[in-house]
Amino acid sequence: MEFFTKRTTGRPADWEKAGLDWLADAEENGGVRICRVLGVEEGGLRLEMIRESSPSKASARAFGQGLAMMHDAGAPAWGAGPPGWEGDGYQGPATQQLPLPLGEFNGWGEMFARLRIEPLVRETAGFSGEDRKLFGRLCERLAGGVFDDDDSPCRLHGDLWAGNVLWSGDEAVLIDPTPYGGHREDDLAALDMFGAPHLGEIIKGYDEARPLEAGWQERVDLHQLHLILLHAALFGGGYGRRAVEAARRYV
């Protein structure tokens, strides 16, 4: 198998391997294909080489179906990382990583508030006092279960923007996860954040395999908020305003 070496070392390399292996465990039940880890070396991660091609509508639809099956492989709790992982994970690009808080919660909303929103709001410069109060009100609504449903924790990729979906032959291959037990709409919202090829077909395939809850389109901004805040913390710019606008919709 052809490979390349990604210059990620130490604990971040262990985190990436743990995540890729955990997601790959779902493939036997129809989950989407995951880039293989071929070894962890002093110089970095030895990863399967993916030969890229252009996606078709059929491959996008199949990707949506496989993503649903990966999600349905589940996680032990809301906020839990890969089995055996201890402490925080990592999020963000390799040169600017921040901790990804992990834990175990009884509901999605409380986990999302305490582990995804609050830490990044604290990390982000430029928010006014009123902005921070707004996020506080949203987090209390989240923690109170206003946006919870009857779904179980899903096995998320966690950073599923289009750049982490490679297309090879007639299938999608996922790379660079930030995995934990979360809500399936988080990954779907991430695909929408910067646009993905044939996104409509991806959603159709997903909905065929695992029908989405009514009103999911109205929650896209809410489920994007983690990644918007991560961009605000790392890059600033207009991401902070975008995060405030998204939060205001759900308070």
Side-chain angles (χ1 to χ4, degrees):
M1 182 180 290
E2 292 183 282
F3 69 90
F4 75 101
T5 300
K6 183 177 179 180
R7 303 299 178 187
T8 301
T9 59
R11 187 169 162 83
D14 294 337
W15 165 252
E16 185 166 346
K17 180 182 186 303
L20 289 168
D21 288 347
W22 189 39
L23 299 183
D25 286 345
E27 287 187 46
E28 64 184 35
N29 293 320
V32 66
R33 181 181 163 196
I34 307 299
C35 180
R36 292 286 183 271
V37 180
L38 305 180
V40 181
E41 305 169 344
E42 185 176 339
L45 281 172
R46 180 179 286 195
L47 298 172
E48 171 189 8
M49 178 73 75
I50 306 299
R51 297 294 180 184
E52 295 187 65
S53 59
S54 298
S56 65
K57 289 185 177 180
S59 60
R61 199 156 185 159
F63 166 48
Q65 294 167 344
L67 183 62
M69 295 301 98
M70 185 188 84
H71 286 166
D72 281 346
W78 299 105
W85 185 263
E86 296 183 358
D88 291 342
Y90 296 88
Q91 59 183 331
T95 57
Q96 294 177 276
Q97 288 188 322
L98 295 175
L100 179 81
L102 299 172
E104 296 188 0
F105 289 79
N106 292 325
W108 172 75
E110 184 180 14
M111 180 279 296
F112 200 65
R114 307 307 182 214
L115 299 186
R116 299 291 166 262
I117 305 303
E118 291 177 347
L120 288 171
V121 169
R122 289 194 296 268
E123 190 73 28
T124 302
F127 287 138
S128 68
E130 287 303 310
D131 292 338
R132 294 181 188 279
K133 289 178 183 178
L134 174 70
F135 287 115
R137 293 196 300 274
L138 174 60
C139 284
E140 290 313 302
R141 295 198 79 205
L142 283 161
V146 172
F147 303 102
D148 286 358
D149 53 34
D150 294 330
D151 206 359
S152 300
C154 294
R155 192 171 305 187
L156 288 194
H157 179 282
D159 188 18
L160 199 60
W161 70 289
N164 285 337
V165 183
L166 304 184
W167 301 90
S168 181
D170 60 352
E171 63 184 348
V173 185
L174 303 189
I175 62 171
D176 292 348
T178 304
Y180 62 93
H183 200 293
R184 64 186 70 246
E185 291 179 22
D186 291 354
D187 272 351
L188 295 176
L191 284 169
D192 182 77
M193 188 165 166
F194 297 115
H198 304 303
L199 180 58
E201 292 300 314
I202 296 171
I203 298 297
K204 285 180 184 178
Y206 194 104
D207 196 49
E208 289 169 355
R210 175 49 161 90
L212 292 162
E213 294 288 335
W216 67 268
Q217 299 97 328
E218 299 303 314
R219 296 185 293 271
V220 169
D221 286 352
L222 177 65
H223 287 274
Q224 285 180 349
L225 193 51
H226 167 214
L227 294 182
I228 297 172
L229 281 167
L230 178 61
H231 281 71
L234 292 173
F235 309 121
Y239 289 111
R241 287 298 94 199
R242 184 172 172 183
V244 169
E245 290 167 5
R248 191 172 287 124
R249 286 194 60 193
Y250 301 98
V251 171

Short mmCIF file of all heavy atoms in Angstrom, two decimals, residues 14-23 25 74-77 79-90 100 102 104 155-157 177-181:
data_model
loop_
_atom_site.label_atom_id
_atom_site.label_comp_id
_atom_site.label_asym_id
_atom_site.label_seq_id
_atom_site.Cartn_x
_atom_site.Cartn_y
_atom_site.Cartn_z
N ASP A 14 -0.76 10.36 18.46
CA ASP A 14 -1.54 9.29 19.11
C ASP A 14 -3.03 9.59 19.05
O ASP A 14 -3.85 8.68 18.85
CB ASP A 14 -1.10 9.13 20.57
CG ASP A 14 0.33 8.64 20.71
OD1 ASP A 14 0.85 8.03 19.76
OD2 ASP A 14 0.93 8.89 21.78
N TRP A 15 -3.39 10.86 19.22
CA TRP A 15 -4.79 11.27 19.15
C TRP A 15 -5.36 11.02 17.76
O TRP A 15 -6.46 10.46 17.62
CB TRP A 15 -4.90 12.74 19.52
CG TRP A 15 -6.20 13.41 19.17
CD1 TRP A 15 -6.40 14.34 18.19
CD2 TRP A 15 -7.48 13.21 19.80
NE1 TRP A 15 -7.72 14.73 18.16
CE2 TRP A 15 -8.39 14.05 19.15
CE3 TRP A 15 -7.92 12.42 20.85
CZ2 TRP A 15 -9.75 14.11 19.51
CZ3 TRP A 15 -9.26 12.48 21.21
CH2 TRP A 15 -10.15 13.32 20.54
N GLU A 16 -4.62 11.41 16.74
CA GLU A 16 -5.11 11.22 15.38
C GLU A 16 -5.26 9.74 15.07
O GLU A 16 -6.25 9.32 14.46
CB GLU A 16 -4.18 11.90 14.37
CG GLU A 16 -4.71 11.83 12.95
CD GLU A 16 -3.99 12.75 11.98
OE1 GLU A 16 -3.25 13.64 12.45
OE2 GLU A 16 -4.19 12.58 10.77
N LYS A 17 -4.29 8.94 15.47
CA LYS A 17 -4.39 7.50 15.24
C LYS A 17 -5.60 6.90 15.96
O LYS A 17 -6.34 6.10 15.39
CB LYS A 17 -3.12 6.78 15.69
CG LYS A 17 -3.17 5.26 15.47
CD LYS A 17 -1.93 4.58 15.97
CE LYS A 17 -1.95 3.09 15.61
NZ LYS A 17 -3.13 2.37 16.12
N ALA A 18 -5.79 7.29 17.22
CA ALA A 18 -6.92 6.77 17.98
C ALA A 18 -8.24 7.10 17.29
O ALA A 18 -9.16 6.27 17.22
CB ALA A 18 -6.90 7.32 19.40
N GLY A 19 -8.33 8.33 16.78
CA GLY A 19 -9.56 8.75 16.12
C GLY A 19 -9.80 8.02 14.81
O GLY A 19 -10.91 7.54 14.54
N LEU A 20 -8.77 7.93 13.98
CA LEU A 20 -8.93 7.23 12.71
C LEU A 20 -9.28 5.76 12.92
O LEU A 20 -10.14 5.21 12.23
CB LEU A 20 -7.65 7.37 11.88
CG LEU A 20 -7.38 8.77 11.31
CD1 LEU A 20 -5.95 8.84 10.75
CD2 LEU A 20 -8.38 9.12 10.21
N ASP A 21 -8.62 5.13 13.88
CA ASP A 21 -8.90 3.72 14.15
C ASP A 21 -10.34 3.53 14.65
O ASP A 21 -11.02 2.57 14.27
CB ASP A 21 -7.92 3.17 15.19
CG ASP A 21 -6.51 2.99 14.64
OD1 ASP A 21 -6.33 3.06 13.40
OD2 ASP A 21 -5.59 2.78 15.46
N TRP A 22 -10.80 4.43 15.52
CA TRP A 22 -12.15 4.33 16.07
C TRP A 22 -13.20 4.48 14.98
O TRP A 22 -14.16 3.71 14.91
CB TRP A 22 -12.33 5.39 17.15
CG TRP A 22 -13.59 5.28 17.96
CD1 TRP A 22 -14.19 4.15 18.41
CD2 TRP A 22 -14.40 6.38 18.42
NE1 TRP A 22 -15.32 4.46 19.14
CE2 TRP A 22 -15.47 5.82 19.17
CE3 TRP A 22 -14.31 7.76 18.31
CZ2 TRP A 22 -16.45 6.60 19.78
CZ3 TRP A 22 -15.28 8.54 18.93
CH2 TRP A 22 -16.33 7.97 19.64
N LEU A 23 -13.01 5.46 14.11
CA LEU A 23 -13.96 5.65 13.02
C LEU A 23 -13.91 4.47 12.05
O LEU A 23 -14.95 4.03 11.54
CB LEU A 23 -13.67 6.95 12.28
CG LEU A 23 -13.78 8.25 13.09
CD1 LEU A 23 -13.55 9.45 12.18
CD2 LEU A 23 -15.12 8.37 13.80
N ASP A 25 -13.41 1.43 12.70
CA ASP A 25 -14.10 0.27 13.25
C ASP A 25 -15.54 0.15 12.75
O ASP A 25 -16.12 -0.93 12.78
CB ASP A 25 -14.10 0.33 14.79
CG ASP A 25 -12.75 -0.01 15.39
OD1 ASP A 25 -11.90 -0.56 14.67
OD2 ASP A 25 -12.55 0.30 16.58
N GLY A 74 -22.05 4.63 17.12
CA GLY A 74 -22.24 5.12 18.48
C GLY A 74 -20.98 5.44 19.25
O GLY A 74 -19.85 5.24 18.81
N ALA A 75 -21.20 5.97 20.46
CA ALA A 75 -20.15 6.34 21.40
C ALA A 75 -20.69 6.05 22.80
O ALA A 75 -21.91 6.03 23.01
CB ALA A 75 -19.80 7.82 21.25
N PRO A 76 -19.80 5.84 23.77
CA PRO A 76 -20.28 5.46 25.11
C PRO A 76 -21.01 6.58 25.85
O PRO A 76 -21.79 6.29 26.76
CB PRO A 76 -19.00 5.07 25.85
CG PRO A 76 -17.88 5.68 25.08
CD PRO A 76 -18.34 5.74 23.66
N ALA A 77 -20.78 7.83 25.49
CA ALA A 77 -21.44 8.94 26.18
C ALA A 77 -21.28 10.20 25.35
O ALA A 77 -20.41 10.29 24.47
CB ALA A 77 -20.84 9.16 27.57
N GLY A 79 -19.77 13.43 24.54
CA GLY A 79 -18.49 14.05 24.89
C GLY A 79 -17.35 13.09 25.07
O GLY A 79 -16.21 13.51 25.29
N ALA A 80 -17.60 11.77 24.98
CA ALA A 80 -16.55 10.78 25.18
C ALA A 80 -15.66 10.68 23.95
O ALA A 80 -16.14 10.75 22.81
CB ALA A 80 -17.16 9.42 25.50
N GLY A 81 -14.36 10.49 24.17
CA GLY A 81 -13.42 10.30 23.08
C GLY A 81 -13.28 8.83 22.71
O GLY A 81 -14.03 7.98 23.20
N PRO A 82 -12.32 8.52 21.84
CA PRO A 82 -12.09 7.13 21.45
C PRO A 82 -11.78 6.25 22.65
O PRO A 82 -11.24 6.72 23.65
CB PRO A 82 -10.88 7.24 20.51
CG PRO A 82 -10.91 8.64 20.00
CD PRO A 82 -11.44 9.46 21.14
N PRO A 83 -12.12 4.97 22.59
CA PRO A 83 -11.88 4.06 23.71
C PRO A 83 -10.42 4.06 24.15
O PRO A 83 -9.50 4.01 23.33
CB PRO A 83 -12.27 2.69 23.14
CG PRO A 83 -13.23 3.00 22.05
CD PRO A 83 -12.78 4.29 21.47
N GLY A 84 -10.22 4.17 25.46
CA GLY A 84 -8.87 4.12 26.00
C GLY A 84 -8.15 5.46 26.05
O GLY A 84 -7.10 5.57 26.68
N TRP A 85 -8.72 6.47 25.39
CA TRP A 85 -8.06 7.78 25.40
C TRP A 85 -8.31 8.47 26.73
O TRP A 85 -9.42 8.48 27.24
CB TRP A 85 -8.59 8.67 24.26
CG TRP A 85 -7.84 9.97 24.19
CD1 TRP A 85 -8.22 11.16 24.72
CD2 TRP A 85 -6.56 10.18 23.60
NE1 TRP A 85 -7.27 12.12 24.50
CE2 TRP A 85 -6.23 11.55 23.81
CE3 TRP A 85 -5.67 9.37 22.91
CZ2 TRP A 85 -5.05 12.10 23.33
CZ3 TRP A 85 -4.48 9.92 22.45
CH2 TRP A 85 -4.18 11.27 22.66
N GLU A 86 -7.27 9.07 27.30
CA GLU A 86 -7.38 9.77 28.58
C GLU A 86 -7.00 11.23 28.41
O GLU A 86 -6.06 11.57 27.70
CB GLU A 86 -6.48 9.11 29.62
CG GLU A 86 -6.89 7.67 29.94
CD GLU A 86 -6.03 7.06 31.03
OE1 GLU A 86 -5.09 7.73 31.51
OE2 GLU A 86 -6.29 5.89 31.39
N GLY A 87 -7.72 12.11 29.10
CA GLY A 87 -7.45 13.53 29.02
C GLY A 87 -8.09 14.17 27.81
O GLY A 87 -8.91 13.57 27.11
N ASP A 88 -7.71 15.42 27.54
CA ASP A 88 -8.24 16.15 26.40
C ASP A 88 -7.70 15.61 25.09
O ASP A 88 -6.61 15.03 25.04
CB ASP A 88 -7.87 17.64 26.50
CG ASP A 88 -8.60 18.35 27.62
OD1 ASP A 88 -9.62 17.82 28.12
OD2 ASP A 88 -8.14 19.45 28.02
N GLY A 89 -8.47 15.84 24.02
CA GLY A 89 -7.97 15.62 22.68
C GLY A 89 -7.41 16.92 22.12
O GLY A 89 -7.02 17.83 22.86
N TYR A 90 -7.40 17.01 20.79
CA TYR A 90 -6.85 18.18 20.12
C TYR A 90 -7.79 18.61 19.00
O TYR A 90 -8.45 17.78 18.36
CB TYR A 90 -5.47 17.87 19.52
CG TYR A 90 -4.44 17.54 20.57
CD1 TYR A 90 -4.29 16.23 21.02
CD2 TYR A 90 -3.65 18.53 21.13
CE1 TYR A 90 -3.36 15.91 22.00
CE2 TYR A 90 -2.72 18.23 22.12
CZ TYR A 90 -2.57 16.92 22.55
OH TYR A 90 -1.66 16.62 23.53
N LEU A 100 -9.13 19.83 22.99
CA LEU A 100 -10.53 19.46 22.78
C LEU A 100 -11.01 18.81 24.07
O LEU A 100 -10.67 17.65 24.34
CB LEU A 100 -10.69 18.49 21.62
CG LEU A 100 -12.14 18.06 21.38
CD1 LEU A 100 -12.89 19.12 20.58
CD2 LEU A 100 -12.22 16.71 20.68
N LEU A 102 -12.89 16.69 26.67
CA LEU A 102 -13.70 15.47 26.58
C LEU A 102 -14.31 15.18 27.95
O LEU A 102 -13.82 15.68 28.97
CB LEU A 102 -12.84 14.29 26.12
CG LEU A 102 -12.21 14.44 24.73
CD1 LEU A 102 -11.23 13.31 24.47
CD2 LEU A 102 -13.28 14.47 23.63
N GLU A 104 -18.02 12.97 29.95
CA GLU A 104 -19.21 12.13 29.79
C GLU A 104 -20.42 12.86 30.37
O GLU A 104 -20.44 13.18 31.56
CB GLU A 104 -19.01 10.78 30.48
CG GLU A 104 -17.90 9.95 29.85
CD GLU A 104 -17.83 8.54 30.39
OE1 GLU A 104 -18.66 8.20 31.27
OE2 GLU A 104 -16.96 7.78 29.94
N ARG A 155 -21.00 8.49 16.75
CA ARG A 155 -19.55 8.48 16.55
C ARG A 155 -19.20 9.52 15.49
O ARG A 155 -19.25 9.27 14.29
CB ARG A 155 -19.08 7.08 16.13
CG ARG A 155 -17.57 6.90 16.18
CD ARG A 155 -17.16 5.46 15.97
NE ARG A 155 -17.83 4.56 16.93
CZ ARG A 155 -17.56 3.26 17.06
NH1 ARG A 155 -16.63 2.71 16.28
NH2 ARG A 155 -18.18 2.53 17.94
N LEU A 156 -18.83 10.71 15.95
CA LEU A 156 -18.60 11.84 15.05
C LEU A 156 -17.18 11.89 14.52
O LEU A 156 -16.23 11.56 15.23
CB LEU A 156 -18.85 13.16 15.79
CG LEU A 156 -20.25 13.58 16.16
CD1 LEU A 156 -20.23 15.05 16.56
CD2 LEU A 156 -21.22 13.36 15.02
N HIS A 157 -17.05 12.40 13.29
CA HIS A 157 -15.74 12.83 12.79
C HIS A 157 -15.30 14.06 13.57
O HIS A 157 -14.16 14.16 14.00
CB HIS A 157 -15.84 13.12 11.30
CG HIS A 157 -14.55 13.59 10.70
ND1 HIS A 157 -14.10 14.88 10.84
CD2 HIS A 157 -13.61 12.93 9.97
CE1 HIS A 157 -12.94 15.01 10.21
NE2 HIS A 157 -12.61 13.85 9.67
N PRO A 177 -9.67 13.55 11.74
CA PRO A 177 -10.84 13.70 12.61
C PRO A 177 -10.53 14.40 13.92
O PRO A 177 -9.39 14.49 14.36
CB PRO A 177 -11.24 12.24 12.88
CG PRO A 177 -9.94 11.51 12.87
CD PRO A 177 -9.12 12.19 11.79
N THR A 178 -11.59 14.90 14.53
CA THR A 178 -11.60 15.39 15.90
C THR A 178 -12.74 14.64 16.60
O THR A 178 -13.79 15.20 16.87
CB THR A 178 -11.84 16.91 15.93
OG1 THR A 178 -10.86 17.57 15.12
CG2 THR A 178 -11.74 17.46 17.35
N PRO A 179 -12.57 13.36 16.87
CA PRO A 179 -13.70 12.49 17.15
C PRO A 179 -14.15 12.47 18.61
O PRO A 179 -13.35 12.55 19.53
CB PRO A 179 -13.16 11.11 16.76
CG PRO A 179 -11.71 11.20 17.10
CD PRO A 179 -11.31 12.63 16.81
N TYR A 180 -15.46 12.36 18.78
CA TYR A 180 -16.05 12.23 20.12
C TYR A 180 -17.51 11.85 19.95
O TYR A 180 -18.04 11.82 18.83
CB TYR A 180 -15.91 13.54 20.91
CG TYR A 180 -16.63 14.72 20.30
CD1 TYR A 180 -17.93 15.05 20.67
CD2 TYR A 180 -16.01 15.52 19.34
CE1 TYR A 180 -18.59 16.13 20.10
CE2 TYR A 180 -16.66 16.60 18.77
CZ TYR A 180 -17.95 16.90 19.16
OH TYR A 180 -18.61 17.96 18.58
N GLY A 181 -18.16 11.54 21.05
CA GLY A 181 -19.58 11.23 21.01
C GLY A 181 -20.40 12.50 20.94
O GLY A 181 -20.42 13.29 21.89
#
